[in-house]
Every structure is written in structure tokens, then in C-alpha cells.
Amino acid sequence: MNQTVYITGTSKGIGAALADYYLKTGSDVVGIARSHKHQHPYYTGLQVDLSDEHALQNFEFPDPKPGHRLVLINNAGALGPMHHAGNLNPTEILSSFRLNISAPLILINRFIAQFGTSFPELKILNMSSGAGVHPYDGWSIYCASKAAVNMLTEVVRAELSVASKTHIHCLALAPGIIETDMQHQIRASSPQGFSLQPLFVEFKETGKLRMPADVAPEIAQVISQMDTYAQAFVDLRV
Ligand SMILES: NC(=O)c1ccc[n+]([C@@H]2O[C@H](COP(=O)([O-])OP(=O)(O)OC[C@H]3O[C@@H](n4cnc5c(N)ncnc54)[C@H](OP(=O)(O)O)[C@@H]3O)[C@@H](O)[C@H]2O)c1
């Protein structure tokens, strides 16, 4: 059976590598981001700012081919400004939470409403982080966002179970430490706003970071077996 994979944040980093992987292995890919780099006959790019309230209110998925298995990967996310409470900007707080929390739930809500009764299998992967279970100073926005992503995953799984929707699956995944623009941003931050900044510089210097292209097939493997996970949260490092 063929599949359509909807991925947020395909212009770079992990999302770009996931789009590459799924295109190479024959899936239709719909990328959802503010910009797009893929040019492929099976790639559709939707230009959407997922931190924009109006865009989120009106979001609809383009229809896949009939009978396809469907995957939604809520990958787009941002650290937001790394400062201690007292030094944060309210506009940036609101915008980061829209991207990191509101967008995944709005897309899940829309995905199930639009396709839940008419397609044979739906899988939803929410990109989480170790920061969703460990507090780091300066990362209040990011840690709270990822903790919320973990909990919304648990709630959606409970709802699917209560409603006996056995053809729909949902999982949160922490990918490990991956060399992307997000890691550049962490290394470029100030230790005054994030005291562990030197540790992340050391991760880079001691070769602890993995590359997106190496991690994408592992994420796809987890997605292919999503129905077998008893727990809602998977950490690729464990
Ligand atoms: N890298 C890591 O070490 C790491 C570790 C744990 C978890 N994660 C998680 O993995 C996911 C991907 O991270 P990454 O490291 O690949 O990040 P990245 O390289 O910074 O890429 C982020 C992607 O999100 C998209 N995006 C950002 N703001 C957007 C907006 N307002 N609207 C639509 N799309 C937007 C970007 O596309 P545009 O700018 O073109 O819109 C880009 O494609 C995130 O959820 C992150 O929290 C990453």
C-alpha cells in the first residue's frame, strides 16, 4: 500500500532529512513550512507560517491519493529565545508556543477530522525532546513546549483507545542531539541565558552529535512500527 507523509518543517534539519528519506523510498511527501528546497515529482510544498494564528485557524491538508496510508510528522519547532524568566519577551513567548504546541494539536485535530473515517491507517509522530522531561535553565519555552507535546500525545492515545480507533496511532519521539541550525543556535547562545551552553559546545567538539540523514531512517523505522509501542514517548538515545 502506498503512503502520503505530511511533514512540518521540511526546509532544513531533521524535517528535510525525513522528506529526503521518504521521497527516496517512494512515498508522496507534503512539506509544510515557511520555505521549501525540495524539487521532486512526489513533493508538494505548502508555504505556511505555523506560528501565525490566522494560518493555523484556516489550515487544511491537501487530499492524498485514495487508499494511501497516511503519516503526519509534527516536526517543526523552535527553541525560542533562551533567557531566564524576567528577561523574556511576551510576543516571542506567544509565537513560540503557537509553533511548538498549538500547531501540532491543530494539525492532529484537522488530520483526524479530515481523514480519520476515510483512510485505512493514520500515524502521527510528534517530535519531542529530552528537554520535555528535563528542566534546563533558559529553556522555559522549549522545555514547557516539549512537555506539553508529550502530554498531548498521551491524551490523544487515550482518546483513540476509548473510541476504539485502532487504525490511528500516535507517538512522541526524542531524536537525540542532531547537528542542525537548532544546535548552532544553542552553541551561539550566551551562558548568561543558558548555563549549559559550554556543554553543548563540548558535545560538538567531542563528536556527540548525529547527522539528520543518519537519524531519519531510524525515525522512519519507529513510525513503521508505531502500533507496537506500549509507551507514548520514545527516546532514540535509550
Ligand atoms: N536538533 C536537535 O538536536 C533536536 C533535539 C531534540 C529535538 N529536536 C526537535 O526536532 C525538530 C526539528 O528540529 P531541527 O533541529 O531540525 O530544527 P531546524 O534545523 O531549526 O529546522 C526547523 C524546521 O522547522 C521549520 N519552522 C520553524 N519555524 C516555523 C514556522 N513558524 N512555520 C513553519 N515552519 C517552521 C523550519 O522551516 P522554515 O524556517 O522554512 O519555516 C525548519 O524546516 C524540532 O521539533 C526540535 O524541537 C531537535
PDB file of all heavy atoms in Angstrom, residues 111-141:
ATOM      1  N   PHE A 111      -6.144  16.542  11.041  1.00  0.00           N
ATOM      2  CA  PHE A 111      -5.756  15.283  10.379  1.00  0.00           C
ATOM      3  C   PHE A 111      -6.804  14.199  10.673  1.00  0.00           C
ATOM      4  O   PHE A 111      -7.289  13.517   9.759  1.00  0.00           O
ATOM      5  CB  PHE A 111      -4.393  14.870  10.937  1.00  0.00           C
ATOM      6  CG  PHE A 111      -3.685  13.747  10.240  1.00  0.00           C
ATOM      7  CD1 PHE A 111      -3.358  13.819   8.894  1.00  0.00           C
ATOM      8  CD2 PHE A 111      -3.271  12.624  10.956  1.00  0.00           C
ATOM      9  CE1 PHE A 111      -2.647  12.795   8.262  1.00  0.00           C
ATOM     10  CE2 PHE A 111      -2.564  11.603  10.339  1.00  0.00           C
ATOM     11  CZ  PHE A 111      -2.255  11.691   8.993  1.00  0.00           C
ATOM     12  N   ILE A 112      -7.184  14.091  11.951  1.00  0.00           N
ATOM     13  CA  ILE A 112      -8.159  13.060  12.333  1.00  0.00           C
ATOM     14  C   ILE A 112      -9.547  13.417  11.783  1.00  0.00           C
ATOM     15  O   ILE A 112     -10.260  12.544  11.271  1.00  0.00           O
ATOM     16  CB  ILE A 112      -8.181  12.865  13.866  1.00  0.00           C
ATOM     17  CG1 ILE A 112      -6.844  12.272  14.334  1.00  0.00           C
ATOM     18  CG2 ILE A 112      -9.344  11.968  14.298  1.00  0.00           C
ATOM     19  CD1 ILE A 112      -6.688  12.152  15.833  1.00  0.00           C
ATOM     20  N   ALA A 113      -9.913  14.709  11.861  1.00  0.00           N
ATOM     21  CA  ALA A 113     -11.231  15.116  11.354  1.00  0.00           C
ATOM     22  C   ALA A 113     -11.345  14.887   9.852  1.00  0.00           C
ATOM     23  O   ALA A 113     -12.366  14.419   9.349  1.00  0.00           O
ATOM     24  CB  ALA A 113     -11.470  16.593  11.679  1.00  0.00           C
ATOM     25  N   GLN A 114     -10.265  15.220   9.142  1.00  0.00           N
ATOM     26  CA  GLN A 114     -10.324  15.186   7.676  1.00  0.00           C
ATOM     27  C   GLN A 114     -10.218  13.757   7.122  1.00  0.00           C
ATOM     28  O   GLN A 114     -10.877  13.430   6.143  1.00  0.00           O
ATOM     29  CB  GLN A 114      -9.174  16.053   7.132  1.00  0.00           C
ATOM     30  CG  GLN A 114      -9.488  16.761   5.825  1.00  0.00           C
ATOM     31  CD  GLN A 114      -8.363  17.720   5.413  1.00  0.00           C
ATOM     32  OE1 GLN A 114      -7.833  18.460   6.248  1.00  0.00           O
ATOM     33  NE2 GLN A 114      -8.012  17.708   4.150  1.00  0.00           N
ATOM     34  N   PHE A 115      -9.394  12.919   7.764  1.00  0.00           N
ATOM     35  CA  PHE A 115      -9.081  11.618   7.160  1.00  0.00           C
ATOM     36  C   PHE A 115      -9.451  10.405   8.038  1.00  0.00           C
ATOM     37  O   PHE A 115      -9.344   9.265   7.589  1.00  0.00           O
ATOM     38  CB  PHE A 115      -7.576  11.523   6.866  1.00  0.00           C
ATOM     39  CG  PHE A 115      -7.051  12.629   5.985  1.00  0.00           C
ATOM     40  CD1 PHE A 115      -5.918  13.355   6.352  1.00  0.00           C
ATOM     41  CD2 PHE A 115      -7.675  12.955   4.786  1.00  0.00           C
ATOM     42  CE1 PHE A 115      -5.421  14.369   5.538  1.00  0.00           C
ATOM     43  CE2 PHE A 115      -7.180  13.977   3.966  1.00  0.00           C
ATOM     44  CZ  PHE A 115      -6.055  14.678   4.343  1.00  0.00           C
ATOM     45  N   GLY A 116      -9.843  10.661   9.284  1.00  0.00           N
ATOM     46  CA  GLY A 116      -9.995   9.571  10.259  1.00  0.00           C
ATOM     47  C   GLY A 116     -10.996   8.505   9.884  1.00  0.00           C
ATOM     48  O   GLY A 116     -10.852   7.349  10.288  1.00  0.00           O
ATOM     49  N   THR A 117     -12.024   8.867   9.119  1.00  0.00           N
ATOM     50  CA  THR A 117     -13.027   7.849   8.779  1.00  0.00           C
ATOM     51  C   THR A 117     -12.887   7.361   7.337  1.00  0.00           C
ATOM     52  O   THR A 117     -13.559   6.413   6.941  1.00  0.00           O
ATOM     53  CB  THR A 117     -14.465   8.400   8.966  1.00  0.00           C
ATOM     54  OG1 THR A 117     -14.590   9.583   8.183  1.00  0.00           O
ATOM     55  CG2 THR A 117     -14.755   8.699  10.427  1.00  0.00           C
ATOM     56  N   SER A 118     -12.029   7.978   6.547  1.00  0.00           N
ATOM     57  CA  SER A 118     -11.998   7.618   5.125  1.00  0.00           C
ATOM     58  C   SER A 118     -10.693   6.977   4.657  1.00  0.00           C
ATOM     59  O   SER A 118     -10.579   6.616   3.487  1.00  0.00           O
ATOM     60  CB  SER A 118     -12.286   8.861   4.273  1.00  0.00           C
ATOM     61  OG  SER A 118     -11.530   9.958   4.730  1.00  0.00           O
ATOM     62  N   PHE A 119      -9.724   6.836   5.570  1.00  0.00           N
ATOM     63  CA  PHE A 119      -8.448   6.225   5.161  1.00  0.00           C
ATOM     64  C   PHE A 119      -8.113   5.061   6.089  1.00  0.00           C
ATOM     65  O   PHE A 119      -8.477   5.062   7.262  1.00  0.00           O
ATOM     66  CB  PHE A 119      -7.330   7.283   5.160  1.00  0.00           C
ATOM     67  CG  PHE A 119      -7.399   8.145   3.920  1.00  0.00           C
ATOM     68  CD1 PHE A 119      -8.295   9.192   3.849  1.00  0.00           C
ATOM     69  CD2 PHE A 119      -6.629   7.852   2.804  1.00  0.00           C
ATOM     70  CE1 PHE A 119      -8.400   9.963   2.700  1.00  0.00           C
ATOM     71  CE2 PHE A 119      -6.719   8.607   1.648  1.00  0.00           C
ATOM     72  CZ  PHE A 119      -7.612   9.668   1.588  1.00  0.00           C
ATOM     73  N   PRO A 120      -7.421   4.031   5.554  1.00  0.00           N
ATOM     74  CA  PRO A 120      -7.254   2.791   6.310  1.00  0.00           C
ATOM     75  C   PRO A 120      -6.331   2.896   7.505  1.00  0.00           C
ATOM     76  O   PRO A 120      -6.487   2.155   8.484  1.00  0.00           O
ATOM     77  CB  PRO A 120      -6.659   1.819   5.279  1.00  0.00           C
ATOM     78  CG  PRO A 120      -6.039   2.683   4.217  1.00  0.00           C
ATOM     79  CD  PRO A 120      -6.851   3.941   4.189  1.00  0.00           C
ATOM     80  N   GLU A 121      -5.330   3.811   7.461  1.00  0.00           N
ATOM     81  CA  GLU A 121      -4.360   3.877   8.565  1.00  0.00           C
ATOM     82  C   GLU A 121      -3.800   5.291   8.685  1.00  0.00           C
ATOM     83  O   GLU A 121      -3.383   5.884   7.693  1.00  0.00           O
ATOM     84  CB  GLU A 121      -3.212   2.904   8.293  1.00  0.00           C
ATOM     85  CG  GLU A 121      -2.169   2.869   9.393  1.00  0.00           C
ATOM     86  CD  GLU A 121      -1.017   1.951   9.024  1.00  0.00           C
ATOM     87  OE1 GLU A 121      -1.102   0.752   9.342  1.00  0.00           O
ATOM     88  OE2 GLU A 121      -0.039   2.434   8.419  1.00  0.00           O
ATOM     89  N   LEU A 122      -3.817   5.828   9.901  1.00  0.00           N
ATOM     90  CA  LEU A 122      -3.241   7.138  10.172  1.00  0.00           C
ATOM     91  C   LEU A 122      -2.197   6.984  11.271  1.00  0.00           C
ATOM     92  O   LEU A 122      -2.474   6.352  12.303  1.00  0.00           O
ATOM     93  CB  LEU A 122      -4.306   8.123  10.677  1.00  0.00           C
ATOM     94  CG  LEU A 122      -5.160   8.898   9.660  1.00  0.00           C
ATOM     95  CD1 LEU A 122      -6.040   7.972   8.831  1.00  0.00           C
ATOM     96  CD2 LEU A 122      -6.026   9.931  10.384  1.00  0.00           C
ATOM     97  N   LYS A 123      -0.999   7.567  11.047  1.00  0.00           N
ATOM     98  CA  LYS A 123       0.035   7.559  12.090  1.00  0.00           C
ATOM     99  C   LYS A 123       0.475   8.998  12.334  1.00  0.00           C
ATOM    100  O   LYS A 123       0.701   9.752  11.384  1.00  0.00           O
ATOM    101  CB  LYS A 123       1.230   6.722  11.666  1.00  0.00           C
ATOM    102  CG  LYS A 123       0.939   5.233  11.681  1.00  0.00           C
ATOM    103  CD  LYS A 123       2.142   4.445  11.197  1.00  0.00           C
ATOM    104  CE  LYS A 123       1.856   2.952  11.322  1.00  0.00           C
ATOM    105  NZ  LYS A 123       2.911   2.153  10.677  1.00  0.00           N
ATOM    106  N   ILE A 124       0.617   9.336  13.609  1.00  0.00           N
ATOM    107  CA  ILE A 124       1.003  10.710  13.984  1.00  0.00           C
ATOM    108  C   ILE A 124       2.266  10.630  14.847  1.00  0.00           C
ATOM    109  O   ILE A 124       2.269   9.965  15.889  1.00  0.00           O
ATOM    110  CB  ILE A 124      -0.124  11.385  14.796  1.00  0.00           C
ATOM    111  CG1 ILE A 124      -1.417  11.450  13.971  1.00  0.00           C
ATOM    112  CG2 ILE A 124       0.305  12.784  15.249  1.00  0.00           C
ATOM    113  CD1 ILE A 124      -2.681  11.628  14.808  1.00  0.00           C
ATOM    114  N   LEU A 125       3.330  11.280  14.388  1.00  0.00           N
ATOM    115  CA  LEU A 125       4.585  11.318  15.152  1.00  0.00           C
ATOM    116  C   LEU A 125       4.835  12.758  15.580  1.00  0.00           C
ATOM    117  O   LEU A 125       4.922  13.657  14.730  1.00  0.00           O
ATOM    118  CB  LEU A 125       5.724  10.808  14.265  1.00  0.00           C
ATOM    119  CG  LEU A 125       7.095  10.420  14.834  1.00  0.00           C
ATOM    120  CD1 LEU A 125       8.000  11.604  15.083  1.00  0.00           C
ATOM    121  CD2 LEU A 125       6.991   9.564  16.097  1.00  0.00           C
ATOM    122  N   ASN A 126       4.917  12.979  16.873  1.00  0.00           N
ATOM    123  CA  ASN A 126       5.196  14.320  17.397  1.00  0.00           C
ATOM    124  C   ASN A 126       6.652  14.392  17.830  1.00  0.00           C
ATOM    125  O   ASN A 126       7.097  13.588  18.662  1.00  0.00           O
ATOM    126  CB  ASN A 126       4.281  14.609  18.590  1.00  0.00           C
ATOM    127  CG  ASN A 126       2.826  14.649  18.180  1.00  0.00           C
ATOM    128  OD1 ASN A 126       2.488  15.157  17.102  1.00  0.00           O
ATOM    129  ND2 ASN A 126       1.946  14.108  19.015  1.00  0.00           N
ATOM    130  N   MET A 127       7.395  15.356  17.272  1.00  0.00           N
ATOM    131  CA  MET A 127       8.812  15.454  17.611  1.00  0.00           C
ATOM    132  C   MET A 127       8.951  16.076  18.989  1.00  0.00           C
ATOM    133  O   MET A 127       8.534  17.219  19.228  1.00  0.00           O
ATOM    134  CB  MET A 127       9.532  16.293  16.556  1.00  0.00           C
ATOM    135  CG  MET A 127      10.996  15.972  16.453  1.00  0.00           C
ATOM    136  SD  MET A 127      11.334  14.264  15.982  1.00  0.00           S
ATOM    137  CE  MET A 127      11.136  14.384  14.212  1.00  0.00           C
ATOM    138  N   SER A 128       9.520  15.311  19.886  1.00  0.00           N
ATOM    139  CA  SER A 128       9.704  15.774  21.259  1.00  0.00           C
ATOM    140  C   SER A 128      11.190  15.987  21.502  1.00  0.00           C
ATOM    141  O   SER A 128      11.963  16.189  20.557  1.00  0.00           O
ATOM    142  CB  SER A 128       9.102  14.739  22.211  1.00  0.00           C
ATOM    143  OG  SER A 128       9.175  15.203  23.534  1.00  0.00           O
ATOM    144  N   SER A 129      11.588  15.913  22.748  1.00  0.00           N
ATOM    145  CA  SER A 129      12.988  16.180  23.099  1.00  0.00           C
ATOM    146  C   SER A 129      13.208  15.720  24.536  1.00  0.00           C
ATOM    147  O   SER A 129      12.256  15.683  25.338  1.00  0.00           O
ATOM    148  CB  SER A 129      13.251  17.688  22.997  1.00  0.00           C
ATOM    149  OG  SER A 129      14.457  18.022  23.639  1.00  0.00           O
ATOM    150  N   GLY A 130      14.462  15.436  24.857  1.00  0.00           N
ATOM    151  CA  GLY A 130      14.810  15.192  26.259  1.00  0.00           C
ATOM    152  C   GLY A 130      14.434  16.390  27.123  1.00  0.00           C
ATOM    153  O   GLY A 130      14.184  16.253  28.326  1.00  0.00           O
ATOM    154  N   ALA A 131      14.374  17.586  26.475  1.00  0.00           N
ATOM    155  CA  ALA A 131      14.005  18.810  27.205  1.00  0.00           C
ATOM    156  C   ALA A 131      12.553  18.771  27.684  1.00  0.00           C
ATOM    157  O   ALA A 131      12.153  19.594  28.507  1.00  0.00           O
ATOM    158  CB  ALA A 131      14.223  20.036  26.318  1.00  0.00           C
ATOM    159  N   GLY A 132      11.773  17.835  27.174  1.00  0.00           N
ATOM    160  CA  GLY A 132      10.389  17.697  27.635  1.00  0.00           C
ATOM    161  C   GLY A 132      10.296  16.979  28.966  1.00  0.00           C
ATOM    162  O   GLY A 132       9.248  16.999  29.622  1.00  0.00           O
ATOM    163  N   VAL A 133      11.399  16.337  29.380  1.00  0.00           N
ATOM    164  CA  VAL A 133      11.387  15.628  30.672  1.00  0.00           C
ATOM    165  C   VAL A 133      12.495  16.100  31.614  1.00  0.00           C
ATOM    166  O   VAL A 133      12.540  15.686  32.770  1.00  0.00           O
ATOM    167  CB  VAL A 133      11.471  14.087  30.466  1.00  0.00           C
ATOM    168  CG1 VAL A 133      10.150  13.545  29.953  1.00  0.00           C
ATOM    169  CG2 VAL A 133      12.584  13.682  29.506  1.00  0.00           C
ATOM    170  N   HIS A 134      13.411  16.960  31.116  1.00  0.00           N
ATOM    171  CA  HIS A 134      14.470  17.516  31.978  1.00  0.00           C
ATOM    172  C   HIS A 134      14.410  19.042  31.920  1.00  0.00           C
ATOM    173  O   HIS A 134      14.402  19.608  30.825  1.00  0.00           O
ATOM    174  CB  HIS A 134      15.856  17.080  31.503  1.00  0.00           C
ATOM    175  CG  HIS A 134      16.044  15.603  31.509  1.00  0.00           C
ATOM    176  ND1 HIS A 134      16.136  14.867  32.670  1.00  0.00           N
ATOM    177  CD2 HIS A 134      16.149  14.721  30.484  1.00  0.00           C
ATOM    178  CE1 HIS A 134      16.290  13.589  32.357  1.00  0.00           C
ATOM    179  NE2 HIS A 134      16.289  13.471  31.041  1.00  0.00           N
ATOM    180  N   PRO A 135      14.381  19.733  33.059  1.00  0.00           N
ATOM    181  CA  PRO A 135      14.388  21.202  33.030  1.00  0.00           C
ATOM    182  C   PRO A 135      15.794  21.757  32.790  1.00  0.00           C
ATOM    183  O   PRO A 135      16.752  21.300  33.418  1.00  0.00           O
ATOM    184  CB  PRO A 135      13.907  21.576  34.440  1.00  0.00           C
ATOM    185  CG  PRO A 135      14.276  20.403  35.299  1.00  0.00           C
ATOM    186  CD  PRO A 135      14.308  19.179  34.425  1.00  0.00           C
ATOM    187  N   TYR A 136      15.933  22.688  31.852  1.00  0.00           N
ATOM    188  CA  TYR A 136      17.204  23.383  31.604  1.00  0.00           C
ATOM    189  C   TYR A 136      16.965  24.875  31.783  1.00  0.00           C
ATOM    190  O   TYR A 136      16.003  25.424  31.204  1.00  0.00           O
ATOM    191  CB  TYR A 136      17.701  23.132  30.173  1.00  0.00           C
ATOM    192  CG  TYR A 136      17.988  21.684  29.846  1.00  0.00           C
ATOM    193  CD1 TYR A 136      17.357  21.051  28.774  1.00  0.00           C
ATOM    194  CD2 TYR A 136      18.903  20.942  30.608  1.00  0.00           C
ATOM    195  CE1 TYR A 136      17.618  19.724  28.458  1.00  0.00           C
ATOM    196  CE2 TYR A 136      19.175  19.613  30.296  1.00  0.00           C
ATOM    197  CZ  TYR A 136      18.532  19.008  29.224  1.00  0.00           C
ATOM    198  OH  TYR A 136      18.793  17.703  28.924  1.00  0.00           O
ATOM    199  N   ASP A 137      17.835  25.543  32.532  1.00  0.00           N
ATOM    200  CA  ASP A 137      17.641  26.991  32.732  1.00  0.00           C
ATOM    201  C   ASP A 137      17.741  27.712  31.394  1.00  0.00           C
ATOM    202  O   ASP A 137      18.532  27.323  30.518  1.00  0.00           O
ATOM    203  CB  ASP A 137      18.673  27.548  33.737  1.00  0.00           C
ATOM    204  CG  ASP A 137      20.060  27.682  33.144  1.00  0.00           C
ATOM    205  OD1 ASP A 137      20.709  26.637  32.947  1.00  0.00           O
ATOM    206  OD2 ASP A 137      20.472  28.824  32.849  1.00  0.00           O
ATOM    207  N   GLY A 138      16.897  28.710  31.197  1.00  0.00           N
ATOM    208  CA  GLY A 138      16.883  29.481  29.953  1.00  0.00           C
ATOM    209  C   GLY A 138      15.983  28.876  28.880  1.00  0.00           C
ATOM    210  O   GLY A 138      15.748  29.490  27.848  1.00  0.00           O
ATOM    211  N   TRP A 139      15.509  27.658  29.121  1.00  0.00           N
ATOM    212  CA  TRP A 139      14.690  26.965  28.108  1.00  0.00           C
ATOM    213  C   TRP A 139      13.241  26.802  28.570  1.00  0.00           C
ATOM    214  O   TRP A 139      12.588  25.811  28.253  1.00  0.00           O
ATOM    215  CB  TRP A 139      15.266  25.574  27.821  1.00  0.00           C
ATOM    216  CG  TRP A 139      16.542  25.545  27.033  1.00  0.00           C
ATOM    217  CD1 TRP A 139      17.436  26.559  26.857  1.00  0.00           C
ATOM    218  CD2 TRP A 139      17.069  24.424  26.298  1.00  0.00           C
ATOM    219  NE1 TRP A 139      18.490  26.131  26.073  1.00  0.00           N
ATOM    220  CE2 TRP A 139      18.286  24.826  25.717  1.00  0.00           C
ATOM    221  CE3 TRP A 139      16.621  23.115  26.079  1.00  0.00           C
ATOM    222  CZ2 TRP A 139      19.070  23.967  24.932  1.00  0.00           C
ATOM    223  CZ3 TRP A 139      17.403  22.263  25.301  1.00  0.00           C
ATOM    224  CH2 TRP A 139      18.609  22.700  24.733  1.00  0.00           C
ATOM    225  N   SER A 140      12.710  27.767  29.309  1.00  0.00           N
ATOM    226  CA  SER A 140      11.339  27.590  29.820  1.00  0.00           C
ATOM    227  C   SER A 140      10.360  27.362  28.678  1.00  0.00           C
ATOM    228  O   SER A 140       9.470  26.503  28.761  1.00  0.00           O
ATOM    229  CB  SER A 140      10.919  28.791  30.671  1.00  0.00           C
ATOM    230  OG  SER A 140      11.063  29.987  29.945  1.00  0.00           O
ATOM    231  N   ILE A 141      10.513  28.115  27.584  1.00  0.00           N
ATOM    232  CA  ILE A 141       9.584  27.982  26.452  1.00  0.00           C
ATOM    233  C   ILE A 141       9.716  26.594  25.836  1.00  0.00           C
ATOM    234  O   ILE A 141       8.722  25.875  25.633  1.00  0.00           O
ATOM    235  CB  ILE A 141       9.885  29.071  25.394  1.00  0.00           C
ATOM    236  CG1 ILE A 141       9.558  30.453  25.960  1.00  0.00           C
ATOM    237  CG2 ILE A 141       9.122  28.795  24.097  1.00  0.00           C
ATOM    238  CD1 ILE A 141      10.035  31.600  25.073  1.00  0.00           C
TER     239      ILE A 141
END
